[in-house]
Amino acid sequence: MFGSRWRTLSRRVLGLWRTSLEFRTIAITVLLCGIAVTVIGASISVSIGTNIYQQRRQQIEVESQRATVLAQSIFDSATATEDNNQVELDSLQNQAQSAILSSTSSPGGTSIAILRTPGQTTAQTIQNIASPDFPNAAVSPALRKAVADGADRLHYQPVSLATGQGQEPGLAVGSTLQVPTAGQYELYLVYDLSDAQKTLDFTQQTLAIGSMALVLLIAVITYVVVRLVVGPIRVAAETSQKIAAGHLEERIPEAGQDVIATLGRSFNGMADAMQRQIEQLADLSRMQQRFVSDVSHELRTPLTTIRLAGDMLYDNRATFDAPAARTAELLHTQVDRFELLLGDLLEISRFDAGAVELETEPTAVVRLVEESVEEFGPLAEGAGSVLTVDARGGYFEAEIDPRRVRRILRNLLGNAIEHGEGEPIEVTVDSNAEAVAIAVEDHGSGMRPEHVERVFDRFWRADPSRKRTIGGTGLGLSISREDAVLHGGRLEVWSEVARGTRFVVTLPRVRNGAIMGSPLTVEPPEPDDEPVTDVAASMRLNEPRRVP
């Protein structure tokens, strides 16, 4: 459960990081400021702690030195003779202890102990004394050895003191006292540094709260600044998206004289210029479409007259002499080609105007392909090519517009015969539950990659000097692709120099159906061992197959 929530949160944060400029800016600013404030706060805390400790130690050092001198002066006031009795020495010891406690002013309290230095033999001794709350563990053997060996100075040792609130820091100070007739004794003062620790804790807490408040304030300031800067940029991005979607009248609000306002004015000026050019191009395109459509319609009447006259001359060409008969044949051929070109121009103008309609009906695609192949059989035979049909799969009936698909096949077959170089031409039909595909492949000269990219352009020819042998108009492939797209399908091409060209048209089996993938690949498959049949055999073996 926790792991799933963590992964969800991580994905959301990562998504914000990728998509939100504000989030990235604020996060980076807060992170860097947090690191800087942490380093500075730690440095200040260490400096304050060191300063507090040094001041407290200097105070303790002065008090300890004063206490040692005071106690030594009390013991020195006694007459150093053998007549000093034990009672007098004990009285001096108590007096020294009282004087030391009254001379110290540590805020945390001071504990005192007077201990005899081991290894001495004297005429008299006094008992070891200590405050009731003296922490015996604070006086370590190492400290006692250092005090005994260095009798002329103070010795310090940091210690930890057990209190009702837990462990508190402390400082143990050791020095030596010379007691007449009793030898050397050690004076230990243990100072409670809890007051200094409380001061340091308060300082660190204040620094931590102040640092967090500072980082939060920086985050808020950064958010406000980023909003002021990113807000206009976001508006510009949204406006550009709307303009790209076709809303050319969208503009960025202009306010002020700063850089952002200048950017807005520049963007609006660019948008105005683009809108004017797009509208000019749209007007020019509409004018061109209307011109093509009007000219095509206007040419219909004279073309009909020319067609009637040409047909009459063509029908009576046998009565003419040879040059006149040849002229009548040429006139008939060119009128046919002109009529085709005029029909293609009218069809292109309908596509441009969005005035085309799809008239679908259940159609046996294989039968449609066989009819088109049979129609182009003599033309292919005249060019030295052999047409074959390979029908695969089983879903060969589809809801298509037969007229438009037949036009696609005519254009593809004519193009294959035109550029097939007399090599065999294979027509493959395959389908699945969603789509039906038709491939027309020749083994002619092929095309270079830069020519493949332009093969569907209107009136474009890879080799302008090449003579047309079957009278194409230069619009066939462009119209074929429009027909395929109108069905909700696509027309794709593969070509390679010296290997040939392969066109694949893929159409949905039902109207407005989706195509998940084409049953045929655009790039031709590797050659297999399947036999190649002629047209007649192919048409006999590949009758339309339907799955109920």
Side-chain angles (χ1 to χ4, degrees), residues 300 303-304 306-308 310-311 314-315 317 328-344 470-473:
R300 278 292 184 184
L303 179 61
T304 302
I306 296 174
R307 160 64 71 184
L308 292 174
D311 289 344
Y314 183 77
D315 293 338
R317 68 185 183 282
E329 292 175 354
L330 290 176
L331 176 63
H332 184 268
T333 301
Q334 293 303 316
V335 168
D336 287 342
R337 184 164 181 262
F338 185 54
E339 194 170 22
L340 288 175
L341 177 61
L342 192 60
D344 288 346
I470 59 174
T473 64

Side-chain angles (χ1 to χ4, degrees), residues 55-66:
Q55 289 182 354
R56 194 74 175 86
R57 177 168 175 167
Q58 291 175 2
Q59 179 186 1
I60 290 173
E61 182 178 357
V62 172
E63 290 186 1
S64 300
Q65 186 67 39
R66 185 171 63 246

Side-chain angles (χ1 to χ4, degrees), residues 2 53 87 110 135 168 185 198 204 219 232 234 254 310-311 374 376 392 405-406 418 428 509 511 539:
F2 178 77
Y53 178 76
V87 175
T110 306
E168 298 290 347
Y185 281 77
K198 290 179 181 178
Q204 292 176 341
R234 182 186 295 108
E254 300 177 12
D311 289 344
E374 186 176 4
F376 278 82
R392 310 170 183 173
V405 175
R406 187 176 286 109
E418 178 85 25
T428 306
R509 293 191 62 246
R511 185 165 184 171
M539 293 197 307

Side-chain angles (χ1 to χ4, degrees), residues 369-383:
V369 171
E370 290 171 347
E371 292 174 356
S372 299
V373 169
E374 186 176 4
E375 177 185 352
F376 278 82
L379 188 62
E381 184 179 355

